[in-house]
Amino acid sequence: YARLTGLDRSVRRGEFRFTAPLSPVEVLALLQSPADGARQVTIPEGFTAEQIAAVLEERGYGGRDVFRCAMEDPALLLELRLPASGVEGFLFPDTYAFEPTTAPGDIVRAMVARYRAEAAELAARREAAGLSETAMVTLASVIEKETGQAAERPLISGVFHNRLRLGMPLQSDPTVLYGRGE
Protein backbone atom coordinates (compact mmCIF):
# COMPACT_ATOMS: atom_id res chain seq x y z
CA TYR A 1 0.00 0.00 0.00
CA ALA A 2 2.77 2.42 0.95
CA ARG A 3 4.67 1.73 -2.24
CA LEU A 4 1.54 2.07 -4.40
CA THR A 5 0.58 5.39 -2.82
CA GLY A 6 4.14 6.76 -2.76
CA LEU A 7 4.13 7.05 1.01
CA ASP A 8 6.98 4.55 1.44
CA ARG A 9 9.46 7.39 0.90
CA SER A 10 8.14 9.39 3.84
CA VAL A 11 8.64 6.71 6.51
CA ARG A 12 10.93 8.01 9.26
CA ARG A 13 13.66 6.02 10.92
CA GLY A 14 13.65 5.68 14.66
CA GLU A 15 11.93 3.94 17.51
CA PHE A 16 8.15 3.86 17.54
CA ARG A 17 5.84 2.70 20.30
CA PHE A 18 2.73 0.71 19.38
CA THR A 19 0.38 0.81 22.36
CA ALA A 20 -2.78 -0.56 20.71
CA PRO A 21 -3.73 -2.71 17.73
CA LEU A 22 -3.57 -0.67 14.52
CA SER A 23 -4.63 -1.15 10.94
CA PRO A 24 -1.90 -1.11 8.28
CA VAL A 25 -2.91 2.44 7.30
CA GLU A 26 -2.62 3.57 10.93
CA VAL A 27 0.79 1.88 11.23
CA LEU A 28 1.95 3.74 8.12
CA ALA A 29 0.69 7.04 9.54
CA LEU A 30 2.57 6.37 12.78
CA LEU A 31 5.76 5.53 10.87
CA GLN A 32 5.50 8.88 9.11
CA SER A 33 5.27 10.78 12.41
CA PRO A 34 8.35 11.82 14.39
CA ALA A 35 9.97 8.95 16.28
CA ASP A 36 9.90 8.73 20.06
CA GLY A 37 12.33 11.30 21.39
CA ALA A 38 15.52 10.99 23.29
CA ARG A 39 15.56 9.06 26.54
CA GLN A 40 17.40 10.16 29.62
CA VAL A 41 19.98 7.95 31.24
CA THR A 42 21.83 8.78 34.46
CA ILE A 43 25.36 7.54 35.01
CA PRO A 44 26.18 7.64 38.75
CA GLU A 45 29.54 8.76 40.11
CA GLY A 46 32.04 6.02 40.74
CA PHE A 47 30.72 3.57 38.13
CA THR A 48 33.26 1.59 36.14
CA ALA A 49 33.09 1.35 32.35
CA GLU A 50 31.59 -2.13 32.77
CA GLN A 51 28.87 -0.82 35.09
CA ILE A 52 28.16 2.03 32.66
CA ALA A 53 27.79 -0.48 29.81
CA ALA A 54 25.28 -2.40 31.97
CA VAL A 55 23.26 0.77 32.66
CA LEU A 56 23.17 1.63 28.95
CA GLU A 57 22.06 -1.90 28.13
CA GLU A 58 19.35 -1.73 30.79
CA ARG A 59 18.05 1.56 29.33
CA GLY A 60 17.75 -0.02 25.88
CA TYR A 61 20.71 1.43 24.00
CA GLY A 62 22.11 -1.96 22.98
CA GLY A 63 23.95 -4.84 24.54
CA ARG A 64 26.81 -4.30 26.94
CA ASP A 65 29.11 -6.24 24.62
CA VAL A 66 28.52 -3.60 21.94
CA PHE A 67 29.52 -0.89 24.41
CA ARG A 68 32.57 -2.85 25.52
CA CYS A 69 33.65 -3.01 21.87
CA ALA A 70 33.15 0.75 21.45
CA MET A 71 34.98 1.47 24.71
CA GLU A 72 37.95 -0.64 23.61
CA ASP A 73 37.99 0.35 19.93
CA PRO A 74 41.58 1.45 19.16
CA ALA A 75 40.43 3.87 16.44
CA LEU A 76 37.93 5.54 18.79
CA LEU A 77 40.48 5.72 21.62
CA LEU A 78 42.95 7.36 19.24
CA GLU A 79 40.31 9.79 17.97
CA LEU A 80 39.44 10.76 21.56
CA ARG A 81 43.11 10.99 22.59
CA LEU A 82 42.63 8.36 25.29
CA PRO A 83 45.16 5.82 26.52
CA ALA A 84 45.21 2.41 24.87
CA SER A 85 44.06 0.96 28.20
CA GLY A 86 40.57 2.27 27.50
CA VAL A 87 37.95 4.75 28.62
CA GLU A 88 37.98 3.87 32.31
CA GLY A 89 37.66 7.11 34.28
CA PHE A 90 37.02 9.27 31.20
CA LEU A 91 33.25 8.63 31.00
CA PHE A 92 31.76 11.54 32.91
CA PRO A 93 28.95 10.72 35.36
CA ASP A 94 25.92 12.82 34.47
CA THR A 95 22.39 12.63 33.08
CA TYR A 96 22.39 12.36 29.30
CA ALA A 97 19.64 12.32 26.69
CA PHE A 98 20.23 10.03 23.71
CA GLU A 99 17.98 8.82 20.93
CA PRO A 100 17.35 5.08 21.20
CA THR A 101 19.19 4.59 17.89
CA THR A 102 22.32 6.50 18.97
CA ALA A 103 25.43 4.50 18.09
CA PRO A 104 27.50 3.26 21.06
CA GLY A 105 30.55 5.12 19.76
CA ASP A 106 28.58 8.38 19.74
CA ILE A 107 27.47 7.78 23.34
CA VAL A 108 31.10 7.22 24.36
CA ARG A 109 32.11 10.39 22.47
CA ALA A 110 29.46 12.43 24.29
CA MET A 111 30.52 11.15 27.70
CA VAL A 112 34.22 11.80 27.00
CA ALA A 113 33.41 15.28 25.64
CA ARG A 114 31.57 16.03 28.89
CA TYR A 115 34.62 14.80 30.84
CA ARG A 116 36.93 17.01 28.76
CA ALA A 117 34.74 20.07 29.40
CA GLU A 118 34.82 19.48 33.16
CA ALA A 119 38.51 18.54 33.29
CA ALA A 120 39.64 21.61 31.33
CA GLU A 121 39.33 23.82 34.40
CA LEU A 122 41.50 21.37 36.39
CA ALA A 123 44.38 21.33 33.88
CA ALA A 124 46.46 23.97 35.67
CA ARG A 125 46.10 22.26 39.05
CA ARG A 126 46.87 18.86 37.51
CA GLU A 127 50.04 20.18 35.87
CA ALA A 128 51.11 21.95 39.08
CA ALA A 129 50.80 18.61 40.89
CA GLY A 130 52.94 16.97 38.20
CA LEU A 131 50.24 14.53 37.15
CA SER A 132 49.44 13.33 33.67
CA GLU A 133 45.79 13.27 32.66
CA THR A 134 45.69 9.49 33.05
CA ALA A 135 47.33 9.69 36.49
CA MET A 136 44.80 12.33 37.57
CA VAL A 137 41.87 10.18 36.45
CA THR A 138 43.33 7.13 38.17
CA LEU A 139 43.94 9.01 41.41
CA ALA A 140 40.45 10.53 41.33
CA SER A 141 38.97 7.06 40.83
CA VAL A 142 40.92 5.65 43.78
CA ILE A 143 39.82 8.56 45.99
CA GLU A 144 36.20 8.03 44.89
CA LYS A 145 36.34 4.33 45.79
CA GLU A 146 38.19 4.92 49.07
CA THR A 147 35.23 6.73 50.62
CA GLY A 148 31.55 7.19 50.03
CA GLN A 149 31.55 10.51 51.89
CA ALA A 150 32.09 13.63 49.79
CA ALA A 151 33.38 15.51 52.84
CA GLU A 152 36.22 12.99 53.30
CA ARG A 153 37.53 13.23 49.73
CA PRO A 154 39.73 16.34 50.26
CA LEU A 155 41.38 14.71 53.28
CA ILE A 156 42.03 11.44 51.44
CA SER A 157 43.27 13.38 48.42
CA GLY A 158 45.74 15.23 50.62
CA VAL A 159 47.02 11.99 52.14
CA PHE A 160 47.48 10.40 48.70
CA HIS A 161 49.19 13.50 47.25
CA ASN A 162 51.60 13.54 50.21
CA ARG A 163 52.37 9.85 49.74
CA LEU A 164 53.01 10.37 46.02
CA ARG A 165 55.23 13.38 46.71
CA LEU A 166 57.29 11.29 49.16
CA GLY A 167 57.45 8.32 46.78
CA MET A 168 55.38 6.13 49.11
CA PRO A 169 52.90 3.55 47.86
CA LEU A 170 49.25 4.58 48.14
CA GLN A 171 48.35 1.48 50.15
CA SER A 172 44.71 1.74 49.18
CA ASP A 173 42.29 -1.19 49.20
CA PRO A 174 40.43 -0.07 46.03
CA THR A 175 43.61 -0.45 43.96
CA VAL A 176 43.94 -4.08 45.00
CA LEU A 177 40.24 -4.81 44.50
CA TYR A 178 40.24 -3.17 41.05
CA GLY A 179 43.25 -5.23 40.01
CA ARG A 180 41.48 -8.40 41.12
CA GLY A 181 38.33 -7.43 39.20
CA GLU A 182 36.12 -7.34 42.30
Side-chain angles (χ1 to χ4, degrees), residues 37-109:
R39 291 189 219 153
Q40 287 194 337
V41 59
T42 299
I43 306 300
E45 290 182 10
F47 268 34
T48 64
E50 180 65 30
Q51 290 170 314
I52 292 170
V55 168
L56 292 168
E57 177 183 52
E58 182 180 293
R59 294 290 294 143
Y61 292 102
R64 72 180 74 192
D65 291 337
V66 175
F67 284 100
R68 271 193 226 111
C69 288
M71 292 173 180
E72 297 170 2
D73 178 16
L76 184 60
L77 295 175
L78 185 63
E79 172 193 327
L80 297 174
R81 301 178 332 272
L82 294 176
S85 57
V87 298
E88 196 73 61
F90 294 94
L91 301 174
F92 195 80
D94 201 357
T95 297
Y96 297 91
F98 299 116
E99 295 287 333
T101 56
T102 303
D106 291 338
I107 291 175
V108 170
R109 281 183 188 91

